[in-house]
């Protein structure tokens, strides 16, 4: 309510409000409101015109009723009338009503905009302010459209009052936030920046909010503000607390403005100009110095204001990350706060230190506070502060203090809050892996982790232990011994049983020499846990048992006995039953040699980014784990795993199991035939059957035959690609085998298989004539930049092809990185003396290197959301070229090489696929969604890939397929 | 079973809180207040589920009674109990109001202890309760052992609702047939739904342990008698017999006898009680007919004309007639002309209320009103709520007639003829609406 003079007090309104407040029940209130509404209606309807005062009063009442939660569907007109009043109070109530009850009635909007325009062009600053406030409060697109050009003019005009400038800046900020496309700065930019030099502190404060927002979008245009901001800051910082009068808050000069200036500076890199930089460093030093001074007041506001500036300054120092001196000072200052009485300060200090720890200059300085942080972790009462302390410990960890920190985190884990346990577990697992010098320590730590917080140990953590144990020969014996001991505890966590089962199954022989851990003892120990475990664990244990049979033939009888018992061989769970039956048969039929081959020790896992780190990143969201850390992790991880450069396909199965969260975690790799295993490798399966309509390709080529024969110039240069080459290429997007080309002379068949980033293609050149082809040569060439993207090695073919004979050529293909063009195959031969020159596109498309990925609906959509940047998505809506039969579509999608995911999309009509493109350098995750519309015979195809060029290419390729 | 019972005033402050089971915590009290009493939208459902706890509430004037449970109870039982509880409280201290509840604080807790045990409803017969829960403070020393044992045997005995040794000089019996008639009618006069729910309420002041037998013109009984012999009696009364859709009885009625012979025989409690409740849907006498006529004249004016016709014997008089004509929400002015009674536009209720004190049967009366409207911004059309009506007529709209009420007392020497019997019929409007 405005401060009203005595004559302006609205008695009717006061009475009405007190009536409402005195109502005993809701019903009574509604009755009173209905009565009042009827009264207002009759007043507004009345023939005699109302005076401004009563209009204002009734509009006020309506507003009050609206704010009580009742619908108001009239009175807008009266409110708009108030806008044109010359009295401040009436105008103000009018604007208030308009901003609260925005109406989309176009007629009214026009009137309102008119009134606002009048007020903006008036010379009365209060009216201008009211209009600006109304625009900002409504902030709708219509408002922005109407006034976006007007407001900057008011903002920079020389004769505008300070208070109006202030309002205009904030109003512009609001419009910019709601519809940035309508606010075009351009010519105003420099003048807006110069507002930083304004005499009036309020204007500067308002303008700086605007400039910060604008400069975040287009930093270059506002670059000049840096030096202005620095000089302004230095003036404030160096001023005495009495200099700024109104803008001094509890002896701190202009704290809000200082904070905003510091925040603006954080949008830019350190100033290049030496003088400016020197001045800024001086400022920051002064701020840090001031923090050391004794407080001028005991009031909490004083210290709050001071600390706010200090924290912003520290944030700026961290942002610049170039002044070792300042960084260390900031760190020391924060160190003082770590033990401060105020919980908020402790929290902020821990948070800032987290970022400080990642800077190379201050990392050591942060480390000196380790004791305090550990203490905070243990004794702090506030859970959020404890969480920050844990974060900081994680951030400050390096090789020198890893053991201490991991030990502390482990001991804290026992009492940690449930909400942060999972994250803590991941952190401990990562730190233990990253800084492990001694692998027995690593194994101990992780087993301890599982023991303490088994429930919070995610799959990734124990996958990782196993990967590491398998890749490191030196730790295997120790790991086996340790898990054996750990399993002896009467109650141990299921994850422990999983690790135990796996490790003993692989390396149980390393400890079998000790009579205390003889094979039978090991087996009995594992089997004693069997009944307490869930189905996936039991499945894993069964695999461990069959491995035992291989490792220790003496246990064969016992284990067969176990497998034979009804609870295994007739288990209601299909998976378990199948395993039991198969293992039993395997063990009884196969000779020891076969067993030894089948159940060979797992090959080492290929090197890749730690899956745990990936999980933590996912958990924290992007940006939480700094880039340096990631690189660090990679480096360390590489070292840790011995940098194995091994054949990619050797352990493809196991690796994909370990790295992607698969439903049944079967690391032994003896998984019963997965529904979609290696689709590209399958030969002569459903794919070929479905696509046996290879005929059209060949025949269409044949039609063109004569033209080809006559038009192809008999030159030595490779002929340009056939006009239908693209079409031919498209035929092979979803299949690997078939007839690539056929004319009267020559037929080219193709058979190819792909695995990860490698592929092998067999080309069959068939001579259809009875005359031999002479000097038959083939060359593969790379158009454009394909040379660096794809590597195709071909063995030379025999130069003579007898009539009716067929020769074979093998091409080895390696995908280096993603590519969009197809390599060209040029074929030259002499037929009856005439040179034949023919160029085809080799059907090698990016999708051939897909590795299918199974995932659940939840995972799928989570990843889908993660790939939400516009360039990562490619979408196409196109008409169906072929039949929309479900089976055909499915087969095509499977042939594409991605995993077709069932029960993922809420609409069963839609198809959803996931896969990873394996190239030598990187992996590109791809998600596909195909939405058929049977009525319109249309499809909508959406692809999201972590690499944008891939999405586009795939989209182009696929659009031709359906 | 009921886990707890709370009584709130209109502000949501707890007046009475009695928890019977451990699964109901203190927070349940607040949950109901926040989610029902102080809810943003008015809560219309009498059963509310908040965090797996069910709240059953009834509202009496400004007082909220809420029964709380975590179990899957029979909701009808809970409401029956709540109504009974209201009856008991009314019988003890009159109107249920905040002040009365505060004044009878101890008494209510005492009653609650008695009528609910571990959440299971117990004897809630006012007559029986009054023998051992009294309002005159501790009476223990005046009560002899004999009296106490007598109360015990009575309360726990077969006839828990009546004590022995009651003596009246004048044996009197009052019988009220109270009915409420509900109707929804289309503007053209077509009955869309109609039913009568009635109650037979008795007040008995009889000596000893009398056996009573109540007879009415129930169709099944009449037909059965018709078959038994007197055919012309059946023909004569056949038209007047009524079909009862469903009925419930006071616990004193012998249900076995009702099932086998359909005769209502009972040993009555002393004082006032409800003998039976019933419902009929066929052949209802609609006491009034409302004929609405609404005409929209442009966007800013509405003309309404309503005619009411009384449809019963001219010798009878209807009372307390009130017709409520809803007006649109953007009404800015109303002019009313009526021939009889008084009519007024009540802005607070968004309706024109027309009141007539008395009206004889087979008459008609009319009202016409001009309503001025204010043009509004949104084009929402007025929903045209139905015109509702209230009245009271001195007959039973269902057509129910009391044929006899016989009293037998073998031990004491008074016979059926010596008992003075009073019968009264009152028909009231329930929800009596006509669409317009």
């Amino acid at each position: 309510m405005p401060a009203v003079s005595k004559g302006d007090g609205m008695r009717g309104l006061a009475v009405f409000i007190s009536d409402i407040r005195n109502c005993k029940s809701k019903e009574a209130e509604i009755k009173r409101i209905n009565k009042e509404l009827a009264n207002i209606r009759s007043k507004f309807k009345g023939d005699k015109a109302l005076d401004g005062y009563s209009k204002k009063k009734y509009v006020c009442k309506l507003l009050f009723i609206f704010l009580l939660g009742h619908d108001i569907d009239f009175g807008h007109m009266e409110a708009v009338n108030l806008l044109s009043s010359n009295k401040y109070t009436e105008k103000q109530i009018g604007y208030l009503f308009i901003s609260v009850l925005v109406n989309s009635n176009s007629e009214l909007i026009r009137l309102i905009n008119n009134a606002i325009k009048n007020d903006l062009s008036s010379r009365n600053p209060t009216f201008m302010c009211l209009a600006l406030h109304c625009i900002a409060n409504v902030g709708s697109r219509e408002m922005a459209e109407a006034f976006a050009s007007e407001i900057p003019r008011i903002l920079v005009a020389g004769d505008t009052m300070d208070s109006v400038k202030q309002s205009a800046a904030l109003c512009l900020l609001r419009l910019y936030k709601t519809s940035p496309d309508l606010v075009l700065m351009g010519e105003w930019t420099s003048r807006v920046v110069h507002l930083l030099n304004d005499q009036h502190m309020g204007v500067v404060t308002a303008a700086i909010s605007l400039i910060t927002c604008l400069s975040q979008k287009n930093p270059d245009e506002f670059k000049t503000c840096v030096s202005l901001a620095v000089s302004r800051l230095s003036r404030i910082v160096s001023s005495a607390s009495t200099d700024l009068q109104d803008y001094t808050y509890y002896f701190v000069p202009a704290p809000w403005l200082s904070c905003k200036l510091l925040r603006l500076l954080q949008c830019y890199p350190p100033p290049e100009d030496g003088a400016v930089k020197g001045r800024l460093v001086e400022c920051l030093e002064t701020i840090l110095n001031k923090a050391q001074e004794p407080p001028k007041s005991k009031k909490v506001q004083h210290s709050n204001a001071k600390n706010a500036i200090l924290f912003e300054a520290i944030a700026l120092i961290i942002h610049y990350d170039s002044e070792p001196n300042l960084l260390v000072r900031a760190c020391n200052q924060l160190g003082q706060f770590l033990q401060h009485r105020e919980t908020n300060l402790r929290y902020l200090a821990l948070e800032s230190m987290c970022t400080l720890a990642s800077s190379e200059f201050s990392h050591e300085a942060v480390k000196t506070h380790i004791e305090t942080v550990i203490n905070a972790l243990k004794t702090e009462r506030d859970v959020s502060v404890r969480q920050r302390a844990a974060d900081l410990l994680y951030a400050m960890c390096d090789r020198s203090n890893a053991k201490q920190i991991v030990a502390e985190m482990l001991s804290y884990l026992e009492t940690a809050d449930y909400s942060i346990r999972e994250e803590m577990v991941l952190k401990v697992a990562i730190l233990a892996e990253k800084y492990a010098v001694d692998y027995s320590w690593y194994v101990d730590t992780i087993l301890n982790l599982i023991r303490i917080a088994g429930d919070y140990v995610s799959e990734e953590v124990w996958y990782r232990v196993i990967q590491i144990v398998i890749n490191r020969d030196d730790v295997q014996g120790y790991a086996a011994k340790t898990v054996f001991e750990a399993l002896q505890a009467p109650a141990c966590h299921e994850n422990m049983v999983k690790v135990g089962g796996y490790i003993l199954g692989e390396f149980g022989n390393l400890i079998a020499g000790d009579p205390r851990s003889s094979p039978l003892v090991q087996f009995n120990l594992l089997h004693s846990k069997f009944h307490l475990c869930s189905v996936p664990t039991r499945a894993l244990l069964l695999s461990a048992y069959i491995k035992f049979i291989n490792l220790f033939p003496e246990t064969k009888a016992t284990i067969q006995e176990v497998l034979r018992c009804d609870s295994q061989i007739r288990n209601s769970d299909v998976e378990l039953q199948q395993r039991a039956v198969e293992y039993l048969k395997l063990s009884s039929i196969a000779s020891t040699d076969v067993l030894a081959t089948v159940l060979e020790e797992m090959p080492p896992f290929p090197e890749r980014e730690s899956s745990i780190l990936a999980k933590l990143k996912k958990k924290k969201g992007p940006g939480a784990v700094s880039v340096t850390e990631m690189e660090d992790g990679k480096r360390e991880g590489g070292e840790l795993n011995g940098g194995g450069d091994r054949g990619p396909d050797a352990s493809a199965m196991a690796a994909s199991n370990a790295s992607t969260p698969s439903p049944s975690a079967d690391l032994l790799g003896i998984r019963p035939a997965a529904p979609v295993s290696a689709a590209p490798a399958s030969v002569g399966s459903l794919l070929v059957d479905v696509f046996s309509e290879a005929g059209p390709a060949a025949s269409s080529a044949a039609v063109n035959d004569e033209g080809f024969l006559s038009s192809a110039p008999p030159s030595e240069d490779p002929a340009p690609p056939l006009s239908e080459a693209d079409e031919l290429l498209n035929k092979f997007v979803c299949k690997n085998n078939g007839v690539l080309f056929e004319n009267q002379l020559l037929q080219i068949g193709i058979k190819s298989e792909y695995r990860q980033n490698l592929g092998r293609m067999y080309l069959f050149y068939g001579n259809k004539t009875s005359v031999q082809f002479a000097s038959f040569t083939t060359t593969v060439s790379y158009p454009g930049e394909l040379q660096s993207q794809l590597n195709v090695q071909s063995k030379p073919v025999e130069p003579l092809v007898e009539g009716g004979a067929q020769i074979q050529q093998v091409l080895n293909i390696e995908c280096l990185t993603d590519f969009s063009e197809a390599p060209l195959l040029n074929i030259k031969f002499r037929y009856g003396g005439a040179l034949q020159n023919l160029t085809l596109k080799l059907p090698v498309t990016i999708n051939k290197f897909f590795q299918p990925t199974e995932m659940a609906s939840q995972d799928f959509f989570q990843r889908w959301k993660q790939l939400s940047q516009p360039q990562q998505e490619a979408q196409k809506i196109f008409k169906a070229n072929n039949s929309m039969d479900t089976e055909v579509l499915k087969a095509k999608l499977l042939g594409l090489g991605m995993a077709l995911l069932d029960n993922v999309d809420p609409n069963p009509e839609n198809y959803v696929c996931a896969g990873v493109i394996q190239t030598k350098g990187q992996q590109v995750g791809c998600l596909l969604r195909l939405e058929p519309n049977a009525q319109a015979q249309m499809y909508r195809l959406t692809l999201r890939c972590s690499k944008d060029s891939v999405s586009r290419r795939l989209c182009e390729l696929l659009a031709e397929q359906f | 079973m009921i886990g707890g019972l709370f009584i709130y005033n209109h502000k949501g402050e707890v007046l009475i809180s009695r928890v019977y089971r451990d699964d109901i915590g203190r927070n349940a009290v607040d949950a109901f207040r926040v989610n029902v009493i102080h809810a943003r939208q008015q809560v219309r459902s009498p059963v509310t589920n908040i965090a797996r706890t069910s709240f059953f509430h009834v509202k009496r004037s400004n007082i909220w009674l809420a029964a709380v449970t975590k179990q899957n109870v029979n909701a009808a039982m809970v409401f029956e109990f709540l109504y009974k509880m209201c009856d008991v409280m009314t019988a003890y201290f009159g109107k249920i109001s905040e002040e009365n509840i505060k004044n009878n604080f101890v008494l209510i807790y005492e009653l609650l202890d008695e009528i609910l045990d571990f959440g299971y409803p117990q004897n809630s017969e006012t007559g029986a309760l009054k023998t051992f829960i009294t309002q005159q403070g501790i009476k223990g020393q005046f009560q002899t052992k004999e009296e106490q044992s007598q109360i015990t045997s009575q309360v726990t005995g077969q006839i828990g609702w009546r004590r022995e040794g009651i003596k009246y000089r004048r044996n009197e019996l009052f019988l009220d047939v109270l009915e409420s008639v509900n109707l929804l009618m289309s503007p053209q006069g077509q009955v869309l739904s109609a039913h009568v729910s009635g109650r037979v309420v008795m007040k008995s002041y009889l000596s000893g342990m009398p056996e009573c037998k109540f007879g009415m013109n129930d169709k099944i009984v009449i037909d059965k008698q018709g078959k038994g012999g007197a055919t012309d009696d059946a023909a004569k009364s056949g038209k007047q017999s009524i079909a009862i859709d469903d009925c419930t009885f006071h616990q004193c009625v012998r249900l076995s006898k009702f099932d086998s012979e359909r005769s209502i025989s009972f040993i009555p409690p002393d004082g006032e009680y409800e003998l039976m409740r019933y419902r009929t849907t066929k052949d209802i006498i609609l006491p009034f007919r409302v004929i609405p006529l609404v005409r929209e004249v442009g966007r800013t004016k509405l003309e309404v004309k309503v005619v009411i016709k009384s449809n019963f014997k001219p010798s009878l008089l209807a009372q307390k007639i009130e017709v409520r004509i809803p007006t649109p929400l953007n009404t800015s002015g109303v002019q009313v002309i009526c021939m009889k009674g008084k009519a007024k536009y009540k802005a607070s209720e968004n309706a024109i209320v027309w009141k007539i004190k008395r009206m004889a049967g087979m008459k008609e009366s009319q009202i016409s009103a001009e309503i001025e409207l204010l043009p509004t911004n949104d084009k929402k059309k007025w929903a045209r709520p139905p015109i509702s009506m209230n009245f009271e007529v001195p007959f039973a709209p269902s057509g129910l007639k009391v044929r006899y009420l016989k009293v037998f007392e073998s031990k004491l020497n008074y016979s059926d003829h010596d008992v003075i019997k009073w019968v009264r019929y009152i028909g009231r409007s329930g929800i009596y609406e006509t669409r317009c």
Side-chain angles (χ1 to χ4, degrees), chain A residues 23-27 30-32 34-35 37-45 71-77 103 105 108, chain B residues 10-11 38-42 59 62 300 328-333 345 347-350 372-378 380:
Chain A
C23 280
K24 287 241 159 158
S25 65
K26 202 149 205 163
E27 291 78 27
I30 290 169
K31 276 189 175 171
R32 180 70 185 90
N34 279 336
K35 196 175 152 198
L37 282 175
N39 175 34
I40 298 171
R41 278 194 299 261
S42 69
K43 284 288 186 327
F44 283 171
K45 175 84 181 177
D71 275 343
I72 296 296
D73 51 5
F74 65 100
H76 297 83
M77 204 58 218
N103 198 288
N105 186 331
L108 271 175
Chain B
H10 72 279
K11 287 182 203 151
H38 289 166
R40 280 180 172 276
Q41 257 81 41
Q42 202 183 355
K59 208 179 164 196
N62 270 335
T300 57
L329 294 175
N330 54 346
T331 304
S332 62
Y345 167 57
S348 59
E349 288 152 53
N350 278 324
E372 276 181 75
L373 304 175
L374 189 77
T376 57
N377 304 320
D378 47 339
K380 252 188 284 165

Side-chain angles (χ1 to χ4, degrees), chain A residues 442-710:
Chain A
Y442 171 72
V443 171
D444 279 345
T445 307
I446 298 292
L447 291 183
N448 239 336
L449 190 64
I450 295 177
R451 188 177 56 74
I452 293 170
D455 284 339
Y456 299 91
V457 173
S458 55
E459 303 276 276
E460 283 84 355
V461 173
W462 76 264
Y463 289 170
R464 196 68 192 149
V465 194
I466 284 168
Q467 283 176 20
I468 286 171
V469 169
I470 286 185
N471 287 7
R472 302 288 308 189
D473 300 338
D474 48 341
V475 78
Q476 287 163 354
Y478 180 77
K481 190 164 144 282
T482 328
V483 289
F484 180 74
E485 278 161 11
L487 282 176
Q488 273 167 336
C492 56
H493 195 268
E494 195 166 332
N495 280 338
M496 183 69 92
V497 179
K498 284 182 190 165
V499 176
Y502 197 103
I503 289 184
L504 289 184
E506 292 291 330
F507 310 114
N509 54 341
L510 299 178
I511 54 165
D514 194 325
R516 284 169 298 170
S517 56
S518 70
L520 217 56
V521 174
Q522 284 184 33
F523 171 73
N524 286 336
L525 181 62
L526 274 184
H527 198 59
S528 67
K529 314 285 181 198
F530 186 87
H531 305 280
L532 306 170
C533 294
S534 62
V535 170
T537 312
R538 287 186 188 195
L540 191 147
L541 283 180
L542 285 180
S543 299
Y545 294 170
I546 188 73
K547 289 230 161 188
F548 265 52
I549 293 184
N550 177 39
L551 288 180
F552 319 113
E554 67 265 34
T555 58
K556 187 170 174 175
T558 326
I559 292 174
Q560 280 184 336
E561 195 59 40
V562 169
L563 290 175
R564 203 175 286 124
C565 85
D566 274 0
S567 62
Q568 310 296 356
I569 211 159
R570 293 195 181 156
N571 196 301
S572 59
D573 187 87
V574 181
E575 176 72 33
L576 289 184
Q577 193 187 65
Q578 188 174 0
R579 282 191 194 217
V581 171
E582 283 176 2
Y583 292 163
L584 186 59
K585 276 279 173 252
L586 181 69
S587 65
S588 48
I589 291 172
S591 69
T592 40
D593 291 351
V594 174
L595 264 186
T597 322
V598 173
L599 304 172
E600 204 182 353
E601 199 174 290
M602 290 297 288
F605 289 87
E607 195 33 56
R608 54 184 65 202
E609 187 195 355
S610 163
S611 51
I612 316 179
L613 204 58
K615 166 131 185 179
L616 183 69
K617 269 187 261 168
K618 205 167 82 184
K619 218 174 144 55
K620 296 274 257 191
V625 180
S626 64
V627 178
T628 50
E629 199 175 336
M630 274 159 63
E631 283 165 2
D632 218 36
K634 257 186 216 153
R635 180 159 41 80
E636 301 276 353
E639 194 181 324
L640 175 68
N641 290 317
D645 185 22
R646 295 175 172 96
D649 51 349
S651 55
M653 192 70 157
S656 72
N657 264 333
S659 63
T660 57
S662 68
S664 80
D666 188 355
L667 286 142
L668 291 172
I670 324 171
R671 166 180 216 183
V676 189
S677 50
S682 64
V683 178
S685 66
L686 172 77
L687 299 178
V688 180
D689 294 350
V690 173
F691 291 104
S692 54
E693 16 108 343
S699 61
S700 71
V703 173
N704 206 338
D705 182 21
E706 272 172 335
F708 154 66
L709 276 176
S710 57

Side-chain angles (χ1 to χ4, degrees), chain B residues 32 36 43-50 53-57 75-76 79:
Chain B
F32 182 77
V36 180
V43 175
R44 290 178 134 177
S45 162
V47 185
T48 319
N49 234 306
I50 305 160
T53 311
S54 308
F55 293 83
F56 306 80
H57 75 263
F79 283 110

Side-chain angles (χ1 to χ4, degrees), chain B residues 42-275:
Chain B
Q42 202 183 355
V43 175
R44 290 178 134 177
S45 162
V47 185
T48 319
N49 234 306
I50 305 160
R52 295 200 201 161
T53 311
S54 308
F55 293 83
F56 306 80
H57 75 263
V58 296
K59 208 179 164 196
R60 284 291 146 99
S61 62
N62 270 335
I63 299 297
W64 300 73
L65 279 92
V68 192
T69 181
K70 284 219 162 177
Q71 287 165 309
N72 184 16
V73 295
N74 181 347
M77 186 277 284
V78 176
F79 283 110
E80 188 63 42
F81 171 77
L82 287 176
Y83 290 133
K84 200 81 206 178
M85 163 109 195
C86 291
D87 289 347
V88 171
M89 288 200 289
T90 323
Y92 267 94
F93 50 77
K95 191 171 170 278
I96 297 176
S97 66
E98 186 175 346
E99 204 185 336
N100 275 346
I101 286 176
K102 280 181 178 164
N103 291 341
N104 294 284
F105 187 69
V106 178
L107 173 74
I108 294 173
Y109 274 112
E110 220 174 321
L111 284 171
L112 282 175
D113 280 344
E114 192 55 42
I115 58 179
L116 266 185
D117 186 5
F118 194 46
Y120 290 97
Q122 306 293 311
N123 192 350
S124 54
E125 197 57 51
T126 321
L129 285 172
K130 276 193 171 165
T131 58
F132 55 92
I133 297 180
T134 58
Q135 284 164 289
Q136 279 92 27
I138 303 164
K139 213 173 138 196
Q141 61 243 60
F142 307 111
Q143 249 175 349
T144 60
K145 274 245 165 69
E146 267 169 52
E147 275 175 325
Q148 281 176 347
S149 69
Q150 199 193 337
I151 290 172
T152 313
S153 73
Q154 183 226 321
V155 171
T156 55
Q158 211 178 5
I159 305 167
W161 56 87
R162 189 178 180 93
R163 67 192 162 92
E164 283 191 55
I166 300 172
K167 242 181 152 31
Y168 286 102
R169 207 190 281 160
R170 243 154 71 112
N171 288 308
E172 259 182 319
L173 239 173
F174 298 85
L175 198 146
D176 288 351
V177 177
L178 307 173
E179 292 194 340
S180 77
V181 54
N182 299 281
L183 168 79
L184 182 63
M185 194 178 251
S186 75
Q188 288 76 34
Q190 197 182 1
V191 176
L192 300 173
S193 84
H195 71 95
V196 170
S197 55
R199 307 190 298 147
V200 178
V201 177
M202 285 177 89
K203 226 185 255 181
S204 62
Y205 302 105
L206 299 171
S207 313
M209 292 293 254
E211 172 93 33
C212 299
K213 217 172 162 194
F214 173 67
M216 56 184 181
N217 56 344
D218 179 4
K219 197 170 181 186
I220 298 172
V221 179
I222 304 280
D223 288 358
K224 206 190 275 172
Q225 281 174 351
K227 261 174 224 153
T231 40
D232 59 295
D233 181 42
K236 205 170 68 186
S237 60
K239 209 178 102 196
Q240 284 164 10
S241 67
I242 61 159
I244 287 175
D245 285 21
D246 44 56
C247 52
T248 54
F249 294 103
H250 188 265
Q251 57 167 332
C252 65
V253 175
R254 291 195 185 88
L255 291 177
S256 56
K257 246 185 177 166
F258 180 75
D259 287 341
S260 57
E261 301 164 28
R262 227 178 151 81
S263 73
I264 303 165
S265 69
F266 54 96
I267 296 171
D270 197 40
E272 189 174 340
Y273 60 97
E274 187 185 278
L275 179 66

Side-chain angles (χ1 to χ4, degrees), chain A residues 14-106:
Chain A
V15 169
F16 173 60
I17 291 174
S18 74
D19 275 4
I20 295 275
R21 299 235 161 107
N22 289 335
C23 280
K24 287 241 159 158
S25 65
K26 202 149 205 163
E27 291 78 27
E29 184 185 312
I30 290 169
K31 276 189 175 171
R32 180 70 185 90
I33 284 167
N34 279 336
K35 196 175 152 198
E36 193 60 43
L37 282 175
N39 175 34
I40 298 171
R41 278 194 299 261
S42 69
K43 284 288 186 327
F44 283 171
K45 175 84 181 177
D47 300 326
K48 63 172 176 19
L50 290 170
D51 59 352
Y53 167 77
S54 34
K55 222 181 259 174
K56 176 180 81 179
K57 186 176 74 184
Y58 293 129
V59 167
C60 258
K61 282 182 181 175
L62 285 179
L63 195 55
F64 184 75
I65 293 170
F66 177 78
L67 294 178
L68 284 176
H70 299 265
D71 275 343
I72 296 296
D73 51 5
F74 65 100
H76 297 83
M77 204 58 218
E78 281 71 17
V80 173
N81 286 342
L82 282 179
L83 293 187
S84 53
S85 159
N86 273 327
K87 270 199 185 150
Y88 171 76
T89 51
E90 285 164 22
K91 202 183 267 285
Q92 186 213 21
I93 295 293
Y95 273 122
L96 186 61
F97 187 90
I98 298 294
S99 2
V100 175
L101 279 116
V102 190
N103 198 288
S104 54
N105 186 331
S106 57

